[in-house]
Amino acid sequence: MEIRHLLTFQTIVEAGSYTRAATKLGYTQSTITSHIQALEHEISGELFTYVKRKLTLTHLGRELIPLAEDLLATHDQIKNMRSSQEVKGILRVAAPESLTISRLSPIIREYFTRYPQVKLILTNGTCGQNQVDLISGRVDVALMVYPELKLEKCIHHVLSEEKIVLVSSVDGPEHFDENKIDTTNQFFITNEEGCSYRTMFEKHLIKHGLDHFQTMELWSIEAIKKTVMSGIGFSVLPYITVKEEIEKGKLKMLCHTEKFDPIYSHLLVKKKKWMAPPVEVFVDLVLNSISNNEIEGYEGIPKSQIH
């Protein structure tokens, strides 16, 4: 089994066919076929099959994906090793949009200034997907906004408690009253399923018999905020993402009586004996930045407006 065989396998998965993989890698199709046959011989089973003339992964092929990604990521780290521990190479970070726009932007700017030879690839996914991508080796660092976590396979840092608030337009009510709210004309405006604070609030709605509440699912926090400003509903968001709009009078926080479980921002790195320099300095930069700004922005908020 050779690294190039695993790279060929990964490229076929991404490209969707042997022909496109051969073009991307600069191989002949017969070379691509021989690489896959060598892999299949090593693991004693087929990786791909054809279903209605479409190339499809077998169960064994699907199991190989995260393992191959992990091995290829380790191979890249080994290639980028330098005795001087020079900070260069590729850093892959997965973070929810809420942390990207509220906390990571200045950190990434400083990181690029200090380490211009690092190529940083940032993806935004749900917290659950970010964790899966870290364990599988698709990313080097994962950030999450989630309740308390207990993880065995990761180095885990709790960064800060994230205050979650209900927001409406400035013309909206002062209080979120479950008994009086009009579920036919007011939308719960939120982001994708799997978001921790969305899940938390939906449990609250079910508890109060509002499980048929109209939900409007949007693609970004900026879109959510602008839609809430228009007056057609309310949203549940980390305070740090709406702080500026609240201070400028563009959004209003709603008081509520419900006590939610606390939610925190987390940083996760997969446990390894050696941490690549780009990963190590990024983790240090995040920890120092969040520690210095941990209490920012929560002074003066009534307890009835945060969980």
Side-chain angles (χ1 to χ4, degrees):
M1 187 183 300
E2 300 181 25
I3 288 294
R4 61 194 179 122
H5 297 163
L6 293 171
L7 180 59
T8 295
F9 168 75
Q10 184 186 59
T11 306
I12 294 171
V13 172
E14 293 173 350
S17 75
Y18 281 39
T19 303
R20 287 193 288 270
T23 301
K24 186 173 181 179
L25 293 172
Y27 292 149
T28 64
Q29 190 159 337
S30 61
T31 300
I32 293 288
T33 301
S34 68
H35 286 185
I36 297 304
Q37 287 175 342
L39 265 180
E40 291 177 333
H41 176 73
E42 286 284 343
I43 61 179
S44 302
E46 288 188 332
L47 297 172
F48 297 99
T49 187
Y50 283 92
V51 177
K52 294 182 179 179
R53 309 178 90 179
K54 181 179 179 182
L55 189 67
T56 305
L57 280 160
T58 64
H59 177 72
L60 199 61
R62 290 192 295 272
E63 286 188 339
L64 181 60
I65 288 176
L67 300 175
E69 289 175 337
D70 206 10
L71 279 170
L72 290 170
T74 301
H75 180 251
D76 287 341
Q77 290 177 352
I78 293 172
K79 286 197 302 182
N80 290 320
M81 285 178 66
R82 298 290 185 273
S83 59
S84 62
Q85 293 293 288
E86 185 179 9
V87 182
K88 62 187 298 184
I90 299 175
L91 174 67
R92 298 163 300 169
V93 178
E97 185 195 9
S98 59
L99 287 184
T100 299
I101 66 175
S102 63
R103 299 194 184 276
L104 281 188
S105 295
I107 294 172
I108 290 172
R109 184 167 57 247
E110 184 175 353
Y111 188 85
F112 277 136
T113 301
R114 292 190 188 183
Y115 313 108
Q117 296 189 74
V118 177
K119 178 182 179 181
L120 192 152
I121 301 172
L122 176 65
T123 58
N124 292 142
T126 64
C127 294
Q129 185 59 52
N130 293 344
Q131 185 179 345
V132 169
D133 288 345
L134 178 71
I135 297 299
S136 69
R138 294 188 183 96
V139 300
D140 306 302
V141 181
L143 290 103
M144 302 171 63
V145 177
Y146 216 72
E148 290 185 298
L149 287 171
K150 291 184 179 179
L151 302 170
E152 295 181 356
K153 296 182 179 180
C154 302
I155 299 171
H156 174 215
H157 301 278
V158 178
L159 302 178
S160 175
E161 183 174 355
E162 299 294 336
K163 305 299 183 182
I164 307 299
V165 296
L166 302 181
V167 291
S168 71
S169 67
V170 291
D171 297 326
E174 298 292 332
H175 195 284
F176 184 82
D177 191 330
E178 297 86 356
N179 297 319
K180 297 180 180 178
I181 192 164
D182 184 354
T183 61
T184 59
N185 295 320
Q186 286 285 304
F187 285 89
F188 171 36
I189 304 165
T190 186
N191 45 14
E192 71 278 5
E193 289 186 2
C195 169
S196 56
Y197 44 88
R198 170 181 173 172
T199 301
M200 174 192 71
F201 189 70
E202 285 177 335
K203 289 179 180 177
H204 165 73
L205 293 178
I206 292 172
K207 175 182 175 181
H208 290 279
L210 299 175
D211 49 313
H212 298 300
F213 210 102
Q214 294 190 85
T215 299
M216 181 183 294
E217 188 173 298
L218 297 180
W219 63 93
S220 74
I221 289 179
E222 290 303 315
I224 291 171
K225 290 192 289 188
K226 290 190 179 298
T227 305
V228 172
M229 287 178 202
S230 72
I232 65 172
F234 67 95
S235 188
V236 178
L237 292 168
Y239 175 72
I240 195 70
T241 65
V242 292
K243 179 176 182 288
E244 181 179 347
E245 288 80 7
I246 290 170
E247 291 178 346
K248 291 182 177 180
K250 295 180 179 180
L251 286 173
K252 177 195 294 185
M253 284 192 295
L254 299 175
C255 296
H256 60 90
T257 57
E258 186 72 13
K259 177 65 176 177
F260 301 124
D261 293 333
I263 285 183
Y264 304 90
S265 50
H266 306 262
L267 183 147
L268 309 176
V269 181
K270 196 172 181 181
K271 283 184 180 178
K272 294 182 178 180
K273 292 183 178 179
W274 176 81
M275 188 180 295
V279 178
E280 186 174 10
V281 296
F282 181 80
V283 171
D284 288 342
L285 195 59
V286 171
L287 294 179
N288 290 332
S289 176
I290 300 297
S291 175
N292 292 336
N293 297 282
E294 187 172 357
I295 62 173
E296 174 193 351
Y298 297 130
E299 297 86 353
I301 306 177
K303 290 184 178 179
S304 60
Q305 293 178 321
I306 59 176
H307 79 76

